[in-house]
């Protein structure tokens, strides 16, 4: 079947094979992932046949400490034996909070999300967390952490992305990002800041697309001025941009726009000379061939490194398209050489995992656990925010009263057991103080049921936890809040004025701050995520064991 024409790069489809020197240079610009917990045939093809010089792992690759170290060591050894021009880097996304790719089986520490770190108002804690994460990664053989995100929360930020960002203020983002990066560098981990200033970048790109070649107004905005301070501290090793910078309707403007962005903003204004990475893992195009050409287009625009799509067949197709473009001189080999030189120069400043690394050293994690867990516990406690006064209204709840805990049905975090209820630790922690706690899940697609109604009739207090995972669920969450509020209003005479109503935001604080539910007499609490550590910390506040000391790291909206 003939393949539909997709874009201006359709000529670069036929598989080609570059010469060895070119393969090695191209490989240094590529970042790939693969499936499974072992050095598989897929991984071998990438590292040994295509000389891919950078690999990203996630939770499905990792089961426990010794296995993780065996895998990272196998990857390093394979690149070494294949005569790569520089050490292979093994990376992971370990931001803390919702994005913690090290599974629980590795005995690593769950740390708070960036929003939680900012809410705790301690730059020292943020630096310590960055260092602690980096130390755990080095023990497991990782070279590289793709963290943190250095974009601000905006009205367009999806709920799952909000807690991954420190604040809606770029000044706060820069302060905490700098602290996190300093801690990471202290522990010897290379860092890549992600989704870098995408809001400003898209505004600049629109300005370029409108043929305002030098964007004086955009270049003077406050966001870039704060970022200039961050880049001036030389704590950033590389920058990863979102593939959204290629999402320009007029494809003829893409190359021109992105080249100006890289040249005038990143290289000239921010004076950053390290590698610039483009995330090309998105496979949302209706025409798969466009996905194949995205890495080639990024290299043509001046990016230095490409994060390839996840599917192996697409990875191979992307690499072959680059080979074909080089063979025809459409992509100058000098462009690849410049990019590879940036990558190799950065790697030369980093010590790779040694060949004789003791596989038992993964047990060193256990020796650090008590200190890391204590740090995490302290930061989680200081990150909890209350929105209607500090003291918990449960303090006056009679001992014989039923406390109804309603939690959403969502996927668990950082665990291979996807059938477990992630809110069980919250129910257990509350029940130690309130033994008559009744934990009942709810589904936003179903709403309020007769089961919920029957429990509410017998309860003296209700805690409703919200954890919206997308903006599409927000209206449904709002309907669920008000269905309960209406039910409580209708039965208010029987329940009495002492009935306690508590709302908890366990992902995006805007689940509460953008809602009018707090004006109905609900006590609001924010814990930023629904990891076990966060839920235990918020339980201490709910039961009155501790008072919350955190502060919202962004402005409350009236929307």
């Amino acid at each position: 079947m003939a393949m539909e024409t997709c874009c201006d790069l359709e000529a670069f489809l036929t598989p080609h094979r570059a010469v060895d020197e070119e393969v090695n240079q191209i490989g240094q610009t590529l970042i790939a992932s693969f499936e499974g917990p072992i050095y598989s045939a897929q991984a071998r093809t990438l590292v040994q046949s295509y000389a891919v010089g950078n690999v990203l792992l996630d939770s499905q690759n990792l089961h426990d400490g010794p296995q993780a170290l065996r895998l990272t060591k196998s990857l390093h050894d394979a690149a070494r034996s294949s005569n790569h021009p520089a050490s292979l880097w093994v990376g992971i996304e370990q931001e803390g909070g919702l994005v913690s790719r090290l599974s629980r089986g590795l005995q690593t520490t769950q740390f708070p999300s960036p929003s939680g770190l900012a809410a705790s108002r301690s730059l020292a804690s943020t630096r310590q967390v960055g260092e602690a994460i980096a130390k755990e990664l080095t023990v497991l053989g990782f070279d590289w952490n793709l963290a943190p995100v250095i974009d601000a929360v905006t009205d367009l930020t999806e709920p799952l992305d909000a807690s991954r960002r420190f604040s809606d203020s770029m000044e706060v983002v820069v302060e905490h990002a700098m602290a996190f990066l300093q801690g990471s560098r202290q522990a010897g981990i290379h860092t890549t800041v992600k989704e870098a200033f995408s809001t400003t970048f898209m505004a600049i790109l629109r300005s370029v697309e409108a043929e305002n070649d030098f964007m004086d107004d955009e270049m003077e905005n406050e966001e870039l001025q704060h970022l200039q301070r961050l880049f001036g501290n030389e704590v950033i090793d590389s920058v990863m941009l979102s593939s959204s910078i290629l999402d320009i309707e007029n494809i003829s403007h893409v190359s021109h726009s992105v080249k100006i962005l890289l040249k005038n903003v990143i290289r000239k204004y921010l004076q950053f000379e390290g590698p610039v990475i483009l995330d090309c893992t998105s496979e949302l195009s209706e025409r798969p061939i466009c996905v194949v050409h995205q890495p080639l287009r990024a290299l043509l625009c001046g990016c230095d490194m490409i994060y390839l799509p996840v599917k192996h067949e697409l990875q191979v197709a992307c690499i072959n398209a680059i080979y074909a473009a080089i063979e025809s001189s459409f992509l100058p080999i000098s462009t690849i050489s410049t990019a590879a030189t940036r990558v190799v120069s950065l790697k030369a400043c980093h010590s790779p995992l040694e060949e004789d690394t003791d596989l038992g050293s993964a047990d060193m994690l256990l020796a650090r656990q008590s200190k890391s867990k204590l740090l995490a516990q302290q930061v989680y406690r200081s990150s909890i925010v209350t929105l209607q006064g500090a003291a918990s209204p449960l303090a006056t709840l009679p001992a014989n009263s039923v406390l109804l805990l309603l939690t959403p049905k969502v996927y668990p975090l950082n665990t291979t057991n996807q059938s477990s209820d992630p809110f069980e630790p919250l129910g257990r922690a509350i029940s130690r103080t309130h033994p008559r706690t009744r934990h009942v899940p709810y589904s936003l697609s179903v709403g309020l049921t007769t089961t919920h109604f029957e429990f509410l009739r017998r309860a003296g207090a209700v805690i409703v936890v919200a954890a919206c995972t997308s903006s599409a669920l927000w209206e449904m969450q709002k309907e669920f809040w008000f269905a309960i509020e209406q039910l409580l209003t209708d039965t208010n005479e029987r329940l009495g004025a002492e009935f306690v109503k508590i709302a908890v935001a366990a992902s995006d604080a805007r689940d509460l701050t953008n809602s009018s539910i707090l004006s109905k007499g609900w006590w609001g609490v924010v814990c930023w995520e629904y990891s076990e550590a966060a839920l235990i910390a918020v339980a201490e506040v709910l039961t009155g064991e501790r008072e919350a000391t955190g502060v919202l790291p962004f402005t409350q909206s009236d929307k």
Side-chain angles (χ1 to χ4, degrees):
M1 180 185 294
M3 188 169 286
E4 183 182 359
T5 298
C6 78
C7 66
D8 57 326
L9 301 179
E10 64 175 322
F12 307 110
L13 293 173
T14 307
H16 287 256
R17 180 65 186 176
V19 299
D20 288 346
E21 182 180 357
E22 292 175 350
V23 168
N24 282 332
Q25 286 189 323
I26 295 167
Q28 289 301 306
T29 72
L30 303 177
I31 306 168
S33 56
F34 59 89
E35 296 180 352
I38 62 172
Y39 183 58
S40 60
Q42 179 185 352
R44 188 175 300 109
T45 299
L46 292 168
V47 175
Q48 294 177 240
S49 299
Y50 290 104
V52 169
N54 314 279
V55 173
L56 286 186
L57 304 180
D58 63 23
S59 55
Q60 58 91 18
N61 299 114
L62 307 166
H63 290 171
D64 56 47
Q67 174 270 328
L69 187 53
R70 281 195 299 272
L71 179 56
T72 56
K73 186 176 186 300
S74 295
L75 289 164
H76 285 112
D77 290 348
R80 199 176 284 116
S81 64
S82 300
N83 297 317
H84 281 207
S87 61
L88 180 137
W89 269 8
V90 183
I92 196 166
E93 291 181 293
Q94 194 70 3
E95 300 173 6
L98 298 176
V99 182
S100 298
R101 306 304 187 199
L102 296 177
S103 64
R104 295 178 65 180
L106 277 83
Q107 299 298 312
T108 50
T109 308
Q110 174 71 39
F111 284 103
S113 65
S115 285
L117 291 173
S120 70
R121 298 178 295 170
S122 171
L123 294 176
S125 292
T126 300
R127 177 171 181 150
Q128 289 171 337
V129 167
E131 183 175 0
I133 289 174
K135 284 181 176 178
E136 293 190 346
L137 293 179
T138 56
V139 170
L140 294 171
F142 287 95
D143 311 277
W144 182 23
N145 188 16
L146 275 74
V149 171
I150 58 168
D151 201 9
V153 176
T154 71
D155 289 339
L156 299 179
T157 304
E158 282 289 317
L160 275 181
D161 288 333
S163 66
R164 298 177 57 208
R165 306 180 184 197
F166 292 107
S167 174
D168 64 351
S169 161
M170 276 311 300
E171 182 177 7
V172 176
V173 170
V174 165
E175 287 175 348
H176 282 274
M178 194 180 303
F180 187 96
L181 293 166
Q182 287 169 343
S184 299
R185 174 164 288 193
Q186 180 70 26
I189 280 284
H190 159 67
T191 53
T192 292
V193 294
K194 295 182 302 182
E195 298 180 21
F197 27 93
S198 55
T199 305
T200 291
F201 268 24
M202 291 310 296
I204 292 172
L205 286 172
R206 285 191 293 271
S207 176
V208 175
E209 192 177 9
E211 298 183 354
N212 301 321
D213 270 4
F214 198 78
M215 311 70 61
D216 292 331
D217 292 340
E218 295 295 345
M219 297 290 278
E220 292 300 319
N221 77 37
E222 185 179 358
E223 180 177 346
L224 279 180
Q225 290 174 12
H226 286 304
L227 287 165
Q228 191 177 45
R229 179 164 60 91
L230 174 62
F231 278 79
N233 274 268
E234 298 184 349
V235 292
I236 296 176
D237 295 313
S238 55
V239 173
M240 178 179 277
L241 305 179
S242 166
S243 59
S244 61
I245 69 169
L246 297 182
D247 293 341
I248 297 177
E249 290 185 11
N250 187 339
I251 204 164
S252 66
H253 288 175
V254 170
S255 180
H256 173 65
S257 301
V258 178
K259 282 179 179 177
I260 287 180
L261 179 71
L262 294 174
K263 178 182 176 181
N264 287 353
V265 181
I266 295 179
R267 302 301 185 200
K268 183 177 179 180
Y269 184 82
L270 297 177
Q271 297 184 348
F272 180 68
E273 293 302 325
V276 176
I277 307 166
L278 186 69
D279 181 354
C280 293
T281 57
S282 173
E283 299 174 15
L284 298 180
S285 173
E286 294 180 1
R287 299 169 176 174
I289 191 171
C290 287
V291 177
V292 170
H293 286 132
Q294 203 171 44
L296 171 57
R297 191 181 305 282
L299 290 171
L300 288 166
C301 289
C303 294
D304 304 296
M305 300 177 75
I306 308 302
Y307 186 12
L308 296 171
V310 175
K311 294 178 181 176
H312 186 61
E313 60 271 22
L314 283 177
Q315 293 172 339
V316 172
C318 289
I319 296 171
N320 283 329
I322 294 170
Y323 288 169
I326 289 176
E327 184 180 61
S328 66
S329 299
F330 185 78
L331 173 61
I333 190 62
S334 60
T335 299
I336 294 294
S337 297
T338 300
T341 298
R342 280 199 176 100
V343 178
V344 172
S345 297
L346 179 58
K347 289 182 176 183
C349 303
H350 178 84
S351 299
L353 189 71
E354 299 297 332
E355 289 185 79
D356 59 353
T357 298
D358 177 12
L359 292 177
S361 65
D363 293 335
M364 291 169 57
L365 277 175
L366 297 176
R368 292 177 176 162
Q369 280 295 292
S370 58
K371 184 176 180 180
S372 294
K373 286 188 179 298
L374 179 60
L375 170 63
Q377 182 185 57
Q378 291 171 341
V379 181
Y380 271 116
R381 284 173 171 169
S382 61
S383 71
I384 305 300
V385 178
T386 56
L387 303 177
Q388 301 284 73
S392 171
L394 290 180
T396 59
L397 186 69
N400 61 347
S401 292
V402 172
L403 169 58
L404 178 59
L405 173 64
L406 298 178
T407 61
K409 293 181 178 179
V410 293
Y411 286 113
L413 298 174
N414 312 320
T415 177
T416 56
N417 182 9
Q418 293 296 300
S419 62
S420 63
D421 184 345
F423 293 100
E424 283 183 9
L426 178 61
R428 288 196 302 269
I430 293 174
S431 64
R432 293 189 188 103
T433 303
H434 297 282
R436 300 197 68 192
T437 299
R438 303 294 182 262
H439 180 190
V440 183
Y442 69 87
S443 170
L444 287 178
S445 61
V446 175
L448 199 61
T449 67
T450 55
T451 300
H452 300 134
F453 177 74
E454 289 302 320
F455 275 106
L456 276 168
R457 286 179 58 235
R458 298 194 294 271
V462 62
I463 300 173
V464 181
V465 180
C468 285
T469 54
S470 73
S471 56
L473 295 176
W474 170 234
E475 287 300 322
M476 296 167 66
Q477 180 69 64
K478 194 160 58 173
E479 289 174 9
F480 187 78
W481 286 127
F482 287 104
I484 291 180
E485 175 59 28
Q486 186 61 51
L487 178 60
L488 294 176
T489 300
D490 293 343
T491 57
N492 184 59
E493 184 175 337
R494 184 194 62 78
L495 293 174
E498 296 79 15
F499 190 87
V500 175
K501 302 180 293 186
I502 299 176
V504 177
S507 58
D508 185 353
R510 296 173 301 174
D511 288 347
L512 295 182
T513 60
N514 289 3
S515 168
S516 60
I517 195 69
L518 298 180
S519 66
K520 308 291 184 180
W522 290 70
W523 190 59
V525 187
V526 180
C527 65
W528 308 107
E529 64 193 72
Y530 52 93
S531 65
E532 182 173 353
L535 295 176
I536 290 173
V538 80
E540 293 176 342
V541 172
L542 292 172
T543 59
E545 183 179 342
R546 296 178 184 276
E547 286 194 358
T549 59
V551 174
L552 285 179
F554 54 80
T555 306
Q556 295 190 44
S557 169
D558 293 328
K559 292 184 179 181

